[in-house]
Amino acid sequence: MNTVVKMTRHTAIMALTWLWLAPAMVSAAGLNTNVALSPPQGGTIIRTQWRYTQLSGDPTPLGRETTINLQTVTVVHGLTANFTLLSTLPIVGREIDLAVGEDVSDTGIADITLLGKYRFHQHDEPGKTVRGSVIAGAQLPTFDSPFSSNSVDPIVGMVWTYQQPSWWVDWDVLYQFNTGGGFQGNDQLRADVAISYPLLGNWSVGNDAWSLYAIAEINTKYLTDGSMQVLASPGLQLISARWILELGIQLPIYQNMSSPRLETDFTTILSLRFQF
Amino acid sequence: MLRTTPLASLIFAVAAISIVGCTTTQVADAPTPDTLDTPAALETPAVITIDGMACPFCINNVQRQLQEVQGVLHAEIDLQKGQAVVTLSQKNPPTADVLRQAVLSSGFTPTQVQMP
């Protein structure tokens, strides 16, 4: 019986860890996304983000209640006007409170994402733009168990952006192949749509003009073990010519998680971007 | 609330401080006649009409690319008008094609370049 509990506990912890590294995977624009970021040729955007996630609803006898503190640093560099390189480094801290057995508390560095984005479509009009890009790359293992998949996991996808001064929308779809298998999780399909619109516009602070935007996102995730989540992310973006400060919260709308995965209660998000 | 390791906090803090530190970088101020080391400017600026600019972040992209062009003293971006007003040096000012290419490198579409 003790052996069964140990095996179940280990499986549950590994499954939990992999799913909740998923936000570290680079995807499109908005609070939970990076891929629509487009610096100019030779330009660089750095984004640091802190995410605090609470999970519960353990389907196993372990009675897990978990918090995950995820800190990411993303660097986006424009090699040309149409080709961008993106890289994300995730640092994970987690606490798992167990009803059976010893609680788990650990930190580590999850797998690093490295992507290339090529813009194949651009249609500009006065004050408007429509852009489409394809994305390809991989998550590279850090071998920091249990936060690493220990495998090179390819990622492919696409991102579209429509922008005008009164609002803009970003849409992306990404597929990650998990070549590690086993405890490392399943292939993941995710799709995100983010809509942003100005609440207050163009007041001056020093040499910069600032605007306050509201953002609303829907984030969907599907794993090939049948797990599925639909999450809503409302938030605020304080935007200047070189800065964006972002605050938000991610809440579940629908969840159907395959055992032993936990369900998300909520995620709080704080993010800072700077372009130079 | 979780406690993270000192390493994690250090990496996050370094990234945040790097961002804050970079804010001290100022774009070039508009030249004045009293600035001894600044080349004299052409009286009339170049005006570039640009399509595709739709967000405040776009301003920095275009401004940065234009101000890196040799012979450009200052670039001011008007998001509402969709224009860049570019102050040019009297000595070796750039051509319209060079300015046009700088806008293209920023990721936007120049539709008209009015040179002085």
Side-chain angles (χ1 to χ4, degrees):
Chain A
M1 182 62 176
N2 285 340
T3 302
V4 172
V5 170
K6 283 182 185 174
M7 288 177 63
T8 303
R9 177 172 182 267
H10 179 65
T11 304
I13 290 171
M14 295 296 281
L16 165 68
T17 302
W18 189 87
L19 177 64
W20 290 106
L21 297 177
M25 186 176 81
V26 177
S27 53
L31 295 173
N32 302 287
T33 61
N34 286 309
V35 167
L37 297 174
S38 294
Q41 180 175 345
T44 301
I45 295 172
I46 294 180
R47 188 188 203 185
T48 61
Q49 187 170 93
W50 174 73
R51 302 174 65 92
Y52 176 81
T53 301
Q54 187 170 291
L55 306 105
S56 62
D58 193 346
T60 75
L62 295 174
R64 292 166 296 162
E65 291 187 351
T66 300
T67 52
I68 294 180
N69 191 347
L70 176 65
Q71 298 173 345
T72 63
V73 178
T74 298
V75 180
V76 187
H77 182 72
L79 288 181
T80 70
N82 292 324
F83 187 75
T84 301
L85 283 178
L86 305 92
S87 181
T88 296
L89 171 70
I91 301 164
V92 185
R94 64 174 186 172
E95 288 186 1
I96 305 176
D97 296 331
L98 297 168
V100 178
E102 193 175 326
D103 293 347
V104 175
S105 178
D106 53 8
T107 60
I109 300 176
D111 292 343
I112 296 169
T113 302
L114 184 61
L115 297 177
K117 182 179 79 166
Y118 176 72
R119 184 164 62 221
F120 65 91
H121 176 80
Q122 178 174 345
H123 178 74
D124 290 340
E125 294 180 16
K128 295 180 187 178
T129 187
V130 178
R131 300 180 178 207
S133 299
V134 290
I135 300 152
Q139 273 200 339
L140 306 176
T142 61
F143 301 106
D144 187 359
S145 185
F147 302 102
S148 174
S149 69
N150 298 323
S151 61
V152 176
D153 299 328
I155 299 169
V156 294
M158 183 178 290
V159 57
W160 285 89
T161 296
Y162 172 78
Q163 278 192 351
Q164 59 171 324
S166 55
W167 60 279
W168 72 73
V169 60
D170 294 296
W171 169 85
D172 75 278
V173 60
L174 290 165
Y175 194 89
Q176 178 170 327
F177 300 87
N178 285 292
T179 61
F183 295 144
Q184 311 312 325
N186 304 92
D187 291 2
Q188 182 185 90
L189 172 68
R190 66 179 290 168
D192 308 281
V193 60
I195 298 174
S196 187
Y197 56 94
L199 297 177
L200 297 170
N202 296 324
W203 71 90
S204 293
V205 178
N207 292 329
D208 283 333
W210 292 78
S211 300
L212 181 66
Y213 281 70
I215 186 166
E217 286 182 48
I218 298 293
N219 313 113
T220 61
K221 301 176 193 176
Y222 174 76
L223 298 175
T224 48
D225 68 357
S227 299
M228 183 169 179
Q229 284 187 314
V230 180
L231 306 154
S233 300
L236 294 172
Q237 293 176 318
L238 185 61
I239 300 175
S240 77
R242 284 179 291 170
W243 289 84
I244 297 181
L245 176 65
E246 300 164 304
L247 292 171
I249 185 167
Q250 190 178 50
L251 299 167
I253 298 174
Y254 170 80
Q255 298 185 92
N256 182 13
M257 311 304 289
S258 295
S259 182
R261 300 188 189 280
L262 297 180
E263 293 186 341
T264 302
D265 295 335
F266 67 90
T267 298
T268 59
I269 304 160
L270 171 63
S271 178
L272 181 63
R273 296 188 227 172
F274 182 77
Q275 180 167 291
F276 60 96
Chain B
M1 185 70 66
L2 283 179
R3 287 178 294 134
T4 58
T5 64
L7 174 62
S9 300
L10 176 63
I11 292 174
F12 192 82
V14 167
I17 291 169
S18 298
I19 290 173
V20 172
C22 288
T23 63
T24 61
T25 302
Q26 297 292 328
V27 296
D29 292 328
T32 68
D34 295 329
T35 306
L36 296 176
D37 296 330
T38 304
L42 290 175
E43 199 170 297
T44 306
V47 179
I48 309 171
T49 303
I50 303 171
D51 283 354
M53 294 195 299
C55 70
F57 230 50
C58 305
I59 295 173
N60 186 57
N61 287 355
V62 179
Q63 191 174 44
R64 183 181 185 275
Q65 291 294 313
L66 285 171
Q67 292 189 166
E68 287 183 352
V69 173
Q70 192 170 9
V72 170
L73 299 179
H74 183 69
E76 198 70 38
I77 312 301
D78 189 325
L79 194 61
Q80 289 189 336
K81 289 183 181 177
Q83 287 182 340
V85 178
V86 186
T87 305
L88 305 177
S89 170
Q90 279 188 2
K91 187 179 178 182
N92 295 326
T95 64
D97 281 343
V98 169
L99 294 176
R100 193 173 290 116
Q101 188 56 47
V103 173
L104 288 171
S105 295
S106 72
F108 298 94
T109 303
T111 57
Q112 189 178 30
V113 180
Q114 290 179 312
M115 298 296 284

